[in-house]
Amino acid sequence: MSPSADTAAPAPTSGPPLAPLIAAQLKFLLSNPNLPVKLGQIWSGCRNGRYADRFTLAIPFCLDYVYWDFLYNALYPKVAPDVVFGPGDEGFQPLVEYDDAGNGGKSCLAQWDFRDPRGLLNLVEELRLLYIEYQKKQVAEVDDTRLKFEVDTVLAKEGIEVCMVSSTDRPDEVKFAVPLLDLDLKQLVPGCPWKFPQKIHLQAIFPVSRSYSSVPSAPRLKLISTPEMKSFFSVDAVKLPAWVDGMCMAEYILALEDDLKNQVVEASASIGSRRRFIEALAPAFGRPLEADPILCRKATVLSISGIFTFLVHFIIPLQFPKQQPILTLQSCQHCNSQGIPITSTQINDYPWSPRWDAPEMVERIYDFLADECQNFKKFCSDGVPQIK
């Protein structure tokens, strides 16, 4: 399973377009919100072919990606593609196992219909589910009593994925990807235009130990969330509970989910606090020119001191009101030599207390800016290029 999730999928190369029937199926697959597949390289099986007919897909699996090649034939686009799996997966032969089990007729390939744009999506989903089961069998065969216990106790949890991680320079490991919190996050953030379902996973990596140890090593633990969720709740800021000697993952997950659920609910409540802060800007500064209406992370107001006009940009942290907003001033009348409006450095050294109500917070910022804007005005005047 390589490369890692942190490595971007290879960019599609310029060349002939995909055959129309193939392109329609690929487009439907990439637009599916429940399986965020990435498109890699596209190429043609013919040296001077009119159409491209094969491509690499990065399939999400176990908080990483597996890279599979899908090989159509532009001369016969009505035929289902061949699939080449990644290196190290020579033992993954799903169609052979289907036939051996007498289930070959149940595969979507047995009812392949080139007119159905869902064909490729159905094939990817089917192969991915079979690959999940294949990896579970691989892990179940590991000669490690502790890992066998972990597998037997947690794999019944819906959505868990597991895989072997082999390396030439360190012992083999087993990685678990455990979905946490069965919550509808869209209900916690009404109106949030998230394209894909937002999830939090616990990644747990156990070393494979074939010798008896009275105190097995603790796994490496990490929380991972979908990228869009970081604008609402930062898993990087979560302090994970300690792994106690003798603990198993099933009991660790229970403790972690209880703590995490409280923090997610607090993050939802923080949106209301940020919204009240933005609403409190209007009496002092006037109605904001711009504001984030959903997560309430940003706002911009227009301010005037004498004849000096400037913008105040507010960046409101997720930990508000424990952490104060970051301010940036931007002149409406001064530009640098590149014609870019002059801005201040980020400001967060103004009076602040999380115990104040929103109107008092804004009033203290307003009073602070009454003096600070004079320093910023001088900074802008000194920074404007002089015409000789």
Side-chain angles (χ1 to χ4, degrees):
M1 182 176 59
S2 67
S4 71
D6 295 331
T7 304
T13 56
S14 59
L18 283 168
L21 287 176
I22 302 172
Q25 295 199 5
L26 178 61
K27 181 179 179 181
F28 189 90
L29 168 69
L30 296 177
S31 64
N32 178 61
N34 296 316
L35 187 65
V37 172
K38 294 183 179 180
L39 174 63
Q41 185 179 12
I42 301 175
W43 71 99
S44 173
C46 300
R47 183 180 298 272
N48 296 308
R50 178 183 177 186
Y51 292 114
D53 55 4
R54 47 200 65 190
F55 44 81
T56 300
L57 293 179
I59 314 294
F61 168 72
C62 208
L63 303 178
D64 208 320
Y65 291 91
V66 288
Y67 287 76
W68 297 341
D69 294 336
F70 289 76
L71 312 180
Y72 285 84
N73 187 330
L75 298 177
Y76 304 98
K78 299 178 182 180
V79 179
D82 292 326
V83 185
V84 178
F85 303 109
D89 287 329
E90 292 80 5
F92 180 50
Q93 300 178 353
L95 299 185
V96 173
E97 295 177 3
Y98 254 31
D99 285 340
D100 292 344
N103 295 324
K106 295 181 180 180
S107 171
C108 67
L109 292 174
Q111 294 87 30
W112 185 264
D113 183 355
F114 69 90
R115 294 163 296 187
D116 185 354
R118 299 171 297 177
L120 179 59
L121 171 62
N122 292 337
L123 177 59
V124 169
E125 289 180 332
E126 177 180 314
L127 292 176
R128 183 178 179 278
L129 290 175
L130 292 171
Y131 188 73
I132 290 172
E133 294 305 313
Y134 165 75
Q135 285 289 345
K136 288 180 179 179
K137 291 179 181 178
Q138 295 291 101
V139 172
E141 295 173 0
V142 172
D143 184 17
D144 185 320
T145 304
R146 177 211 192 174
L147 278 172
K148 285 182 179 295
F149 175 78
E150 295 289 2
V151 168
D152 291 341
T153 55
V154 303
L155 279 191
K157 183 178 173 68
E158 184 178 356
I160 284 187
E161 297 176 8
V162 62
C163 69
M164 293 293 303
V165 181
S166 300
S167 176
T168 57
D169 57 353
R170 65 172 183 261
D172 290 346
E173 297 174 320
V174 171
K175 179 169 72 171
F176 291 80
V178 185
L180 303 173
L181 298 183
D182 187 17
L183 296 174
D184 186 352
L185 296 176
K186 279 196 171 184
Q187 288 187 356
L188 293 176
V189 189
C192 195
W194 285 328
K195 182 178 180 181
F196 299 116
Q198 302 303 304
K199 298 179 181 179
I200 301 175
H201 283 83
L202 172 68
Q203 175 181 276
I205 300 178
F206 290 81
V208 176
S209 176
R210 292 177 174 84
S211 61
Y212 176 77
S213 174
S214 58
V215 183
S217 301
R220 301 199 307 275
L221 303 169
K222 182 179 180 181
L223 287 180
I224 297 177
S225 72
T226 41
E228 295 88 348
M229 190 175 180
K230 293 182 179 179
S231 61
F232 161 65
F233 178 74
S234 175
V235 296
D236 297 332
V238 175
K239 184 177 180 181
L240 289 171
W243 182 279
V244 181
D245 290 344
M247 177 178 279
C248 70
M249 194 156 60
E251 59 181 317
Y252 185 84
I253 291 170
L254 287 176
L256 175 59
E257 285 194 313
D258 286 342
D259 183 51
L260 199 58
K261 184 175 181 179
N262 292 333
Q263 295 190 49
V264 170
V265 171
E266 287 181 7
S268 177
S270 179
I271 297 177
S273 298
R274 296 195 295 269
R275 178 173 286 109
R276 287 189 291 274
F277 175 81
I278 292 175
E279 292 170 348
L281 293 173
F285 290 94
R287 185 175 180 178
L289 299 180
E290 295 179 331
D292 174 5
I294 298 173
L295 296 174
C296 302
R297 294 290 311 280
K298 299 179 181 180
T300 298
V301 297
L302 180 67
S303 191
I304 301 174
S305 177
I307 61 171
F308 180 47
T309 305
F310 60 99
L311 300 175
V312 184
H313 301 288
F314 294 82
I315 303 296
I316 310 173
L318 291 174
Q319 290 76 24
F320 179 90
K322 295 178 182 178
Q323 294 182 7
Q324 64 203 92
I326 297 173
L327 314 181
T328 304
L329 309 185
Q330 176 182 326
S331 176
C332 298
Q333 299 164 292
H334 305 83
C335 295
N336 60 20
S337 57
Q338 287 78 41
I340 301 173
I342 296 177
T343 60
S344 70
T345 57
Q346 293 185 337
I347 302 169
N348 63 355
D349 57 350
Y350 54 86
W352 182 262
S353 171
R355 293 183 296 274
W356 295 336
D357 60 13
E360 184 170 359
M361 293 174 180
V362 172
E363 183 179 346
R364 296 295 188 102
I365 293 174
Y366 185 88
D367 292 342
F368 168 80
L369 290 177
D371 295 328
E372 183 63 24
C373 72
Q374 300 304 318
N375 298 329
F376 179 57
K377 179 181 178 181
K378 183 177 184 303
F379 171 77
C380 292
S381 299
D382 294 342
V384 173
Q386 301 297 317
I387 300 177
K388 297 183 179 179

